[in-house]
Amino acid sequence: MMPGTRYPPMVIWAARDIQRHCGRSMLLFACLASLVFLTAMALLFSQALDATWERLMDQAPDLVVRRIDGGGWAPLPVDVAMACAKKIPGVIDPTPRLWGVVPGPEGPVTVVASIAVVPESMLKGIPPPSAGQAVVGQGVARALSGGRLSLGSNHSVTVSVIHTFPADTGLATHDLVWMTPDDARPLLGLVPGQASDLAVHLFRREEERAIQADLAAAFPWPVRITDRSTSALNHHTRAVRSGGIAVVAGIPALLALLLIITGTVVDNTARQAYWGLLKSMGWTTADMVRLQVSRAMIVGIPAVVLGLASAYAAVFYPPAAGITAFWVTGGQHLPALTLVSSGAAMVMIEIAAMVGLPFLAAVFLTTLRAADGSPWTLLQADPWN
Amino acid sequence: MYRPFAEKNYRYPAPCRGARRLLIIAITASMLLGIATAADLLRRIAHQDDGASAWMRTMNFSAPALWTAGSPMRHPETVHPGVDLRFSAGLVTAP
Amino acid sequence: MELNAGLVCRGLNFRWPGKNADEPPVLEAVEAVFAQGTVSLVTGNTGSGKSTLMHLLAGLLHPTAGEVWADGQPVSRWPSRHRDPWRRQVGIVFQHLALIPDLTVGENLLLPMIPRPITWSRMQEEIRRQLEDAGLSALADAPTNTLSGGQRQRLAIARALVARPRFVLADEPTAFQDDHHAARICAQLCDIAREGAVVVIGSHDPRLRSFDGIDRRFHLASATLTGAAVNQGAP
């Protein structure tokens, strides 16, 4: 007794048909895969960047209050600022921040000093810096020589680096130098009792616009208040625009796909005699559509899956993600990204549908049109007549 | 014992052996790639990196370190209200 | 036997579309019964309309007037969505053979089997049987374009018979055959008829006119079909 086969004969015959037109099928495969890759990479990247931003921004203070004067930003007296902020209903946990951007060995770095004690559960083995010490991010650690770091230009400070922030915290700590307030103040041009600005959390986040006026009025000097929603909106607009621009890069591949589909239509026309022969042997139009759709799926599904998987790897696997970011965002030096994957599945399904469904529809319609003729007429288009 | 190509021995007159291999390759490759991607996606969703978020919260950062230090996107609170980035198309990407 | 079993032509007319009405039709008022279990031979000069008649019987062409009935069903009236699946009961041998040259011999025989609801193993069994009958077993893996003219014609006949059709329409099935193979093909077609199929052969091969297995002979001339039964003992 002969063994059977696990696949329906129609599907086997569709694969045999692909073998018969190997070059065309390979071209179609490459075109579909590259189209999916280019589109998916751009959209996945902008979506993932947006999601990551949103997740991280969820932790950011609702409002940041900075003092301004005629010369620009001015240091903020901590005690006065705290007292003023606490008077406003709805404001919780106002925190003075000591931070600033200072020149480092290989470009600007963000210097921070925590006035409050960082809880032990956060540190996870990272020793808090003492006087003359610093903990630095991965981006700063790369530029170190001999474990010492010199910062600043006018008031230069040299600290010894005692630890590096873990790589998985890079999205917050990549360019960070964490030191004691006493070491940071000379760098930032602050005296004791002063802070760079005031971070404010609100009881109700949706009140962040409404409360700004009260807060501004509560301080005895002019202030500039930045809210989180504005920053998030700016970023969202930017991410969407980056994604859109990158999708435009896929247009050549889209044109190539159209060319291939046109080629498939021409191929179908040339295969009219084949369709006529099949009809004369009892194949129905539905059988032929099944054959062509099976053929399209045998080529299309692996191409789409390969395109999606490559795009996924390019976006989510550092350092490939860094290269993608560099390309998609137009040359910014981003840290190695570890992006949030929630929502990525939906984007991938959307792209598979966006490319796969029109392709299958084109195959379906052209086959229906080519095969739905009289078998005798179809047979006349053959080389044997 | 299961032998995937056992029918070779029976000498089918129209085996379409190459076509069936192509089919096996297409199905296996698609499934492997699909499963690997889905598994990685699920793993990432299950094990979100919370380290960055925690430091964001602890240090009260206004924005993540996605842009270089000193750039307006990195420190939105330092953008002076007099500088409206809407009219500075090239400036938004500058450090 | 069913009263209307077989293929029946009733007042069949055919004229090529676009031809002038004053030009003579290809077929005119053709009345014929091709009964179940018989072999019918349609003879006629080249261009007399034998192939056209075959194509009308196979449902590949529409008659200009009149009807083709198959087993009591007016198949020529049916829309294509019904006639296409009905054609699974028809095995047609084209005069020009219509083989796919880049497929192997076995794969050409697979073509009519693919859309049928039978298993892959059963398909292979049927192909093996048909290759043995056609004397082509050793060439199952050979590409069709490497076969001789006679082998190609035997392959075309095998393809028409592989799905055990109820109606077999063979257009010049012995044109490229030597006497031995021509007799073998005739015997094969007779066997099919004896198993209950309707066999119609269109040919001007003189060897077929004298073949004993033919039950009815028709002659097509001047668009008119005339004929008579010769083997009265046939069912």
Side-chain angles (χ1 to χ4, degrees), chain A residues 7-18:
Chain A
Y7 307 110
M10 185 66 82
V11 179
I12 296 177
W13 195 253
R16 180 71 185 92
D17 233 17
I18 290 168

Side-chain angles (χ1 to χ4, degrees), chain C residues 10-15 25-30 56 62-67 223:
Chain C
R10 299 236 182 274
L12 201 63
N13 275 27
F14 186 77
R15 187 187 296 275
V26 182
L27 297 172
E28 190 164 35
V30 170
L56 282 165
H62 272 293
T64 319
E67 285 167 350

Side-chain angles (χ1 to χ4, degrees), chain A residues 241-266:
Chain A
R241 195 179 54 188
S242 302
I245 289 168
V247 167
V248 172
I251 285 178
L254 186 67
L255 292 175
L257 182 76
L258 287 175
L259 201 66
I260 301 297
I261 288 177
T262 312
T264 311
V265 177
V266 174

Side-chain angles (χ1 to χ4, degrees), chain B residues 3-83:
Chain B
R3 288 177 296 165
F5 296 108
E7 56 267 35
K8 267 185 192 172
N9 305 332
Y10 290 93
R11 194 77 181 81
Y12 274 159
C16 297
R17 210 167 284 132
R20 279 188 291 162
R21 272 190 206 131
L22 176 69
L23 209 53
I24 290 167
I25 290 169
I27 292 171
T28 312
S30 302
M31 284 178 70
L32 282 179
L33 276 175
I35 290 169
T37 308
D40 190 77
L41 200 61
L42 291 174
R43 185 184 62 80
R44 277 171 189 272
I45 290 169
H47 301 97
Q48 295 282 10
D49 293 326
D50 291 328
S53 299
W55 278 103
M56 279 279 295
R57 187 173 56 248
T58 305
M59 294 290 184
N60 272 305
F61 290 143
S62 301
L66 289 169
W67 282 267
T68 41
S71 66
M73 292 299 287
R74 175 80 170 95
H75 307 298
E77 65 274 58
T78 60
V79 178
H80 196 279
V83 182

Side-chain angles (χ1 to χ4, degrees), chain A:
Chain A
M1 182 68 188
M2 284 186 179
T5 175
R6 285 163 289 168
Y7 307 110
M10 185 66 82
V11 179
I12 296 177
W13 195 253
R16 180 71 185 92
D17 233 17
I18 290 168
Q19 271 191 311
R20 288 181 66 207
H21 305 91
C22 192
R24 190 181 289 270
S25 303
M26 291 290 287
L27 196 61
L28 185 60
F29 179 89
C31 193
L32 272 174
S34 48
L35 177 70
V36 169
F37 173 73
L38 290 172
T39 319
M41 188 181 64
L43 293 182
L44 268 180
F45 179 78
S46 59
Q47 185 273 341
L49 199 58
D50 206 26
T52 305
W53 174 271
E54 201 173 315
R55 187 169 64 92
L56 292 174
M57 284 301 283
D58 199 46
Q59 309 300 327
D62 297 307
L63 299 171
V64 174
V65 180
R66 282 179 82 87
R67 180 182 175 189
I68 51 175
D69 59 16
W73 306 119
L76 192 79
V78 173
D79 295 337
V80 178
M82 290 283 283
C84 293
K86 281 179 177 169
K87 283 192 296 190
I88 307 299
V91 169
I92 51 169
D93 196 21
T95 312
R97 302 194 303 181
L98 276 178
W99 75 277
V101 178
V102 299
E106 284 192 356
V109 297
T110 307
V111 169
V112 293
S114 177
I115 295 172
V117 176
V118 175
E120 193 63 34
S121 59
M122 266 303 302
L123 294 169
K124 290 180 184 164
I126 302 172
S130 307
Q133 293 180 336
V135 177
V136 298
Q138 299 278 330
V140 183
R142 277 201 294 270
L144 284 180
S145 58
R148 298 194 66 77
L149 178 67
S150 288
L151 297 169
S153 50
N154 295 337
H155 301 283
S156 181
V157 170
T158 301
V159 288
S160 61
V161 175
I162 55 165
H163 210 273
T164 306
F165 286 107
D168 66 353
T169 64
L171 285 170
T173 64
H174 181 75
D175 62 354
L176 210 63
V177 178
W178 180 28
M179 53 176 63
T180 59
D182 290 342
D183 286 338
R185 280 196 181 98
L187 275 174
L188 304 175
L190 302 171
V191 296
Q194 287 184 331
S196 305
D197 50 31
L198 189 71
V200 174
H201 292 268
L202 300 179
F203 186 69
R204 290 181 194 279
R205 274 191 166 170
E206 58 274 23
E207 287 177 349
E208 68 177 20
R209 290 288 170 90
I211 227 161
Q212 281 185 42
D214 294 342
L215 199 58
F219 291 98
W221 0 263
V223 291
R224 158 105 165 116
I225 301 174
T226 318
D227 62 77
R228 192 186 40 198
S229 304
T230 309
S231 311
L233 182 66
N234 284 343
H235 173 79
H236 178 74
T237 311
R238 188 186 168 83
V240 169
R241 195 179 54 188
S242 302
I245 289 168
V247 167
V248 172
I251 285 178
L254 186 67
L255 292 175
L257 182 76
L258 287 175
L259 201 66
I260 301 297
I261 288 177
T262 312
T264 311
V265 177
V266 174
D267 180 43
N268 278 341
T269 311
R271 277 158 57 99
Q272 278 188 353
Y274 179 57
W275 298 138
L277 178 64
L278 294 183
K279 277 199 148 185
S280 74
M281 291 189 291
W283 286 59
T284 60
T285 303
D287 291 330
M288 291 176 209
V289 169
R290 273 168 54 213
L291 175 73
Q292 286 297 87
V293 169
S294 304
R295 208 181 125 170
M297 287 173 80
I298 292 169
V299 176
I301 290 175
V304 169
V305 172
L306 178 66
L308 288 176
S310 311
Y312 180 86
V315 170
F316 288 105
Y317 275 89
I323 297 166
T324 311
F326 184 83
W327 181 58
V328 174
T329 59
Q332 289 179 64
H333 297 283
L334 296 180
L337 299 173
T338 312
L339 299 164
V340 176
S341 51
S342 53
M346 191 46 71
V347 169
M348 288 200 282
I349 290 168
E350 277 173 15
I351 288 163
M354 198 172 79
V355 176
L357 291 181
F359 170 62
L360 283 180
V363 169
F364 177 82
L365 291 173
T366 52
T367 308
L368 201 63
R369 201 173 157 197
D372 196 28
S374 142
W376 191 87
T377 314
L378 293 171
L379 274 166
Q380 295 314 296
D382 69 358
W384 46 68
N385 273 303

Side-chain angles (χ1 to χ4, degrees), chain A residues 1-5 7-13 16-17 19-21 274 276-285 287 290-291 371-377 379-380 382 384-385, chain C residues 16 55 58-61 80-81 83-85 87-88 90 92 94 96-104 107-108 110-116 118-121 123-125 128 159:
Chain A
M1 182 68 188
M2 284 186 179
T5 175
Y7 307 110
M10 185 66 82
V11 179
I12 296 177
W13 195 253
R16 180 71 185 92
D17 233 17
Q19 271 191 311
R20 288 181 66 207
H21 305 91
Y274 179 57
L277 178 64
L278 294 183
K279 277 199 148 185
S280 74
M281 291 189 291
W283 286 59
T284 60
T285 303
D287 291 330
R290 273 168 54 213
L291 175 73
D372 196 28
S374 142
W376 191 87
T377 314
L379 274 166
Q380 295 314 296
D382 69 358
W384 46 68
N385 273 303
Chain C
W16 288 112
H55 292 164
L60 302 179
L61 280 173
S80 61
R81 70 174 182 278
R83 210 170 50 248
D84 287 350
R87 233 178 263 118
R88 286 183 192 172
V90 178
I92 185 165
F94 291 100
H96 48 67
L97 307 181
L99 298 168
I100 309 284
D102 59 310
L103 295 181
T104 67
E107 286 166 351
N108 263 286
L110 198 56
L111 274 178
M113 313 282 277
I114 296 290
R116 291 165 206 257
I118 52 176
T119 62
W120 183 255
S121 311
M123 286 180 190
Q124 301 293 331
E125 280 296 338
R128 182 196 301 281
R159 190 182 63 188

Side-chain angles (χ1 to χ4, degrees), chain C:
Chain C
M1 190 176 82
E2 192 186 336
L3 189 62
N4 289 320
L7 281 169
V8 179
C9 301
R10 299 236 182 274
L12 201 63
N13 275 27
F14 186 77
R15 187 187 296 275
W16 288 112
K19 295 278 183 181
N20 290 334
D22 53 350
E23 283 186 36
V26 182
L27 297 172
E28 190 164 35
V30 170
E31 296 280 346
V33 175
F34 305 104
Q36 182 189 9
T38 64
V39 180
S40 305
L41 175 66
V42 179
T43 57
N45 293 334
T46 307
S48 60
K50 297 188 298 295
S51 298
T52 307
L53 178 63
M54 293 289 169
H55 292 164
L56 282 165
L57 291 174
L60 302 179
L61 280 173
H62 272 293
T64 319
E67 285 167 350
V68 175
W69 289 64
D71 288 343
Q73 302 286 326
V75 289
S76 62
R77 258 196 257 155
W78 286 352
S80 61
R81 70 174 182 278
H82 290 140
R83 210 170 50 248
D84 287 350
W86 169 79
R87 233 178 263 118
R88 286 183 192 172
Q89 299 181 47
V90 178
I92 185 165
V93 182
F94 291 100
Q95 186 175 11
H96 48 67
L97 307 181
L99 298 168
I100 309 284
D102 59 310
L103 295 181
T104 67
V105 168
E107 286 166 351
N108 263 286
L109 293 190
L110 198 56
L111 274 178
M113 313 282 277
I114 296 290
R116 291 165 206 257
I118 52 176
T119 62
W120 183 255
S121 311
R122 169 88 192 285
M123 286 180 190
Q124 301 293 331
E125 280 296 338
E126 293 292 333
I127 292 167
R128 182 196 301 281
R129 178 182 60 81
Q130 211 47 242
L131 285 173
E132 280 167 8
D133 289 352
L136 296 170
S137 294
L139 296 169
D141 292 335
T144 308
N145 53 15
T146 61
L147 302 186
S148 70
Q151 286 169 331
R152 286 160 59 87
Q153 192 165 45
R154 295 209 298 280
L155 174 59
I157 296 167
R159 190 182 63 188
L161 302 181
V162 70
R164 298 176 186 267
R166 171 143 179 76
F167 309 103
V168 178
L169 306 166
D171 196 0
E172 302 289 0
T174 56
F176 308 134
Q177 304 298 326
D178 56 33
D179 290 350
H180 167 70
H181 279 112
R184 195 169 160 180
I185 287 168
C186 288
Q188 195 180 3
L189 293 174
C190 285
D191 290 345
I192 300 287
R194 302 299 169 251
E195 286 170 15
V198 178
V199 179
V200 183
I201 304 171
S203 177
H204 61 262
D205 188 342
R207 292 173 297 185
L208 286 181
R209 289 183 200 153
S210 57
F211 183 65
D212 290 340
I214 305 294
D215 301 302
R216 288 191 67 127
R217 296 180 205 284
F218 295 88
H219 187 71
L220 192 56
S222 306
T224 310
L225 190 69
T226 53
V230 288
N231 286 352
Q232 296 302 325

